[in-house]
Structures are given as structure tokens and as C-alpha cells.
């Protein structure tokens, strides 16, 4: 995979023009949007790179923003910044739980496209990319982007244990329309949550089990037709700290792809402990 190679020129960056970019293997930022654009033109930022504005709790594909006018890009920044900023208000509402998912039959009916051939998962270095994280939120955001890249996913979510709210809350997201899921609480009897609390990874099969159905139901509210869904818990001292969920519409996941996400989960757990961010 081509490396991200952008050198920061601080004089070109304002408070409202701070962007982070990653290819899932390396991460750079904050940089200005103009500097990112020059990096793309010079071939230093690869196609498919993920970006986020400093005010966002979500990642987007760079190509979603490149073709926008300045005013349209400002609108996109403001929309996702508002969704990110209001996450805490939604999370504080004890009734703001994720709705029950559709039936397995309904989910299967929406995923009837031909399945393309399998591809080799992307090699990632989660320890390396997490070195650039300066706080817990950055670490979880980078864990999400690296998980999406490693598993060739279209969507990704991070649900985090929030002891202050006595809830597990969708805190970070990747992919179109996923900002609407920020702040949602998982029900205590959600089968995917129960699996995570037991330290178990979930990989959805062609015929989804209950845990896979709940994951697919969430992700399908952003993009319908999930063919592959999976969940990997982030464990700290044998207790679940967070859940990484990924999904895609192209084909089911292979075990080797989700094994890469498990490597990311282990790396971010170790980074959190080493940095002592919980104390």
C-alpha cells in the first residue's frame, strides 16, 4: 500500500481547517485541506485514503470531499461537526437505544447482488499507526480506520463502554450516513454486546445468527444490503472496553480478514494501557 507522505506547513492551516488523513497503515495530521489536495495531486496521498475534520467523530473517503466546491465542503464539515457535537446529548438520553433489527429474511433479501471473488486482506501495522495517537479518542478513531482498511470494509463503528452513563454508546463511525448512529445506546440484551462482554468475536455467516443480525441491522440503517458483518471486542484487563463493528455490501468476511481486526483491537488495548489514558 502506498504510504501517506504529507509534510505539515503550519502557516497554511487555520483553527477551522484542521484535517487528519490515513491509509489505515500510516496517519498524518492535522494538516490543511489545501495541503491534502496538493498531496493527492503529487501522488503522496493514495486513492481511498480516509479523512476527518478535527471536529468530527467520523471518517470519510477523501474522494467524497475532493469534488465538492468550497461552500459544499463547508456544508459537509458543518453537518458532520454538528452530528459529532450532539452525540453526547443523544447518548445522555436513556431511551435513545438502537431499534430492533429486521428479520434475517429481510436482511438477506436486501443483499442479493452477485458475490465477487475473494481478495487478500490489506496488511496493516496497527502498532505503528497508533503511535500517532495523542489521546484516547484519537486512538479509537485510528483503530476504527485501520480496522476498516484491514478488512476491506465499507462501514465501521466503535461502541464504547461509558461508566458515567451506565451504557455502551456508539462513539465513532466510518462510512456514509453512519453519523446518524452516533450516540445510540446498545440494549443490555443485545446479542452482539453479550458476545463482546464474553470476549468473543462475531463473524456473520450467510445465514445470520442473532448477534450477526443485530450488527447487520445497525449497519444497514446507513447502507442497506450488508453481505459481511463482524464484531471484535476491545478487552482491557479481561473486561470489555469497546466493540469494533465492520460491514460491507460486497461479500462475506473471511476469517483471515477479521483476524486483522483482532490484531487492531489488541494493539489499541495495549496502547491505552501503555499511555495510561484511563487514569
Amino acid at each position: 500500500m502506498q504510504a501517506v507522505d504529507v509534510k505539515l506547513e503550519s502557516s497554511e492551516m487555520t483553527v477551522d481547517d484542521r484535517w487528519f488523513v490515513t491509509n489505515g497503515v500510516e496517519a498524518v495530521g492535522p494538516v490543511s485541506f489545501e495541503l491534502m489536495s496538493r498531496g493527492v495531486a503529487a501522488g503522496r496521498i493514495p486513492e481511498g485514503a480516509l479523512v476527518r475534520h478535527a471536529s468530527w467523530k467520523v471518517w470519510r473517503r477523501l474522494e467524497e470531499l475532493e469534488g465538492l466546491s468550497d461552500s459544499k465542503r463547508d456544508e459537509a464539515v458543518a453537518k458532520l461537526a454538528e452530528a459529532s457535537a450532539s452525540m453526547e446529548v443523544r447518548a445522555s438520553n436513556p431511551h435513545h437505544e438502537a431499534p430492533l433489527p429486521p428479520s434475517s429474511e429481510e436482511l438477506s433479501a436486501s443483499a442479493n447482488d452477485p458475490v465477487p471473488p475473494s481478495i487478500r486482506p490489506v496488511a496493516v501495522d496497527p502498532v505503528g499507526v497508533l503511535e500517532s495517537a495523542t489521546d484516547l479518542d484519537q486512538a479509537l478513531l485510528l483503530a476504527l480506520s485501520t480496522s476498516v482498511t484491514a478488512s476491506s470494509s465499507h462501514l465501521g463503528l466503535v461502541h464504547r463502554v461509558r461508566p458515567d452513563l451506565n451504557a455502551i454508546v456508539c462513539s465513532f463511525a466510518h462510512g456514509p450516513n453512519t453519523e446518524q448512529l452516533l450516540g445510540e445506546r446498545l440494549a443490555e440484551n443485545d446479542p452482539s454486546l453479550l458476545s463482546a462482554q464474553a470476549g468473543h468475536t462475531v463473524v456473520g455467516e450467510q445465514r445470520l445468527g442473532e448477534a450477526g443480525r443485530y450488527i447487520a441491522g445497525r449497519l444497514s440503517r446507513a447502507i442497506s444490503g450488508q453481505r459481511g458483518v463482524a464484531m471484535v471486542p476491545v478487552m482491557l484487563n479481561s473486561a470489555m472496553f469497546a466493540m469494533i463493528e465492520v460491514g460491507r455490501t460486497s461479500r462475506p468476511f473471511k476469517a483471515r480478514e477479521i483476524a486483522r481486526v483482532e490484531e487492531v483491537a489488541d494493539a489499541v488495548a495495549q496502547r491505552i494501557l501503555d499511555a495510561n489514558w484511563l487514569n
Side-chain angles (χ1 to χ4, degrees):
M1 174 176 289
Q2 182 182 352
V4 174
D5 179 20
V6 176
K7 293 182 174 59
L8 175 63
E9 298 175 26
S10 57
S11 61
E12 300 181 7
M13 185 176 61
T14 66
V15 173
D16 295 327
D17 188 29
R18 292 161 53 86
W19 295 83
F20 296 84
V21 57
T22 179
N23 60 358
V25 179
E26 296 177 293
V28 174
V31 297
S32 68
F33 195 87
E34 173 62 25
L35 189 56
M36 279 202 308
S37 298
R38 294 211 302 265
V40 172
R44 295 193 300 270
I45 295 180
E47 293 183 7
L50 306 181
V51 299
R52 68 175 180 88
H53 189 266
S55 62
W56 296 355
K57 294 183 181 294
V58 297
W59 290 98
R60 284 291 190 268
R61 295 284 176 185
L62 178 55
E63 57 261 31
E64 294 178 38
L65 300 169
E66 282 183 297
L68 299 179
S69 64
D70 289 347
S71 60
K72 289 295 185 182
R73 187 170 67 249
D74 288 345
E75 288 178 14
V77 169
K79 175 187 174 183
L80 293 178
E82 180 180 3
S84 298
S86 60
M87 186 199 81
E88 286 298 319
V89 175
R90 297 191 295 274
S92 298
N93 180 355
H95 303 295
H96 190 62
E97 284 191 351
L100 292 175
S103 67
S104 296
E105 290 74 17
E106 290 172 312
L107 288 169
S108 297
S110 68
N112 53 9
D113 295 329
V115 181
S118 177
I119 58 175
R120 186 176 298 278
V122 174
V124 298
D125 173 20
V127 174
V129 73
L130 287 167
E131 286 180 352
S132 65
T134 58
D135 57 38
L136 180 57
D137 281 5
Q138 281 195 29
L140 291 173
L141 277 159
L142 286 170
L144 175 59
S145 61
T146 303
S147 295
V148 165
T149 300
S151 57
S152 300
S153 296
H154 298 130
L155 303 175
L157 303 173
V158 171
H159 307 276
R160 180 180 165 189
V161 175
R162 290 287 302 271
D164 56 322
L165 300 175
N166 193 29
I168 289 80
V169 175
C170 182
S171 302
F172 306 102
H174 163 74
N177 304 315
T178 52
E179 67 275 5
Q180 66 182 303
L181 305 179
L182 291 174
E184 277 191 354
R185 295 171 171 228
L186 297 188
E188 292 182 358
N189 62 350
D190 185 314
S192 63
L193 171 59
L194 297 177
S195 294
Q197 290 172 332
H200 300 318
T201 292
V202 173
V203 182
E205 304 292 340
Q206 283 289 94
R207 176 74 177 183
L208 293 172
E210 278 298 280
R213 184 168 70 90
Y214 273 68
I215 299 167
R218 268 190 291 280
L219 296 174
S220 292
R221 288 166 53 212
I223 299 177
S224 63
Q226 301 299 310
R227 276 195 171 276
V229 296
M231 180 281 297
V232 174
V234 177
M235 307 295 289
L236 292 183
N237 299 322
S238 301
M240 190 204 88
F241 176 76
M243 302 162 54
I244 301 172
E245 291 182 340
V246 291
R248 65 182 177 206
T249 59
S250 55
R251 58 182 172 81
F253 287 112
K254 298 290 187 181
R256 64 188 182 187
E257 293 171 313
I258 301 309
R260 295 282 174 85
V261 181
E262 291 176 325
E263 292 175 5
V264 177
D266 289 343
V268 73
Q270 192 59 52
R271 182 76 171 92
I272 292 168
L273 293 173
D274 291 345
N276 203 28
W277 280 325
L278 300 183
N279 295 325

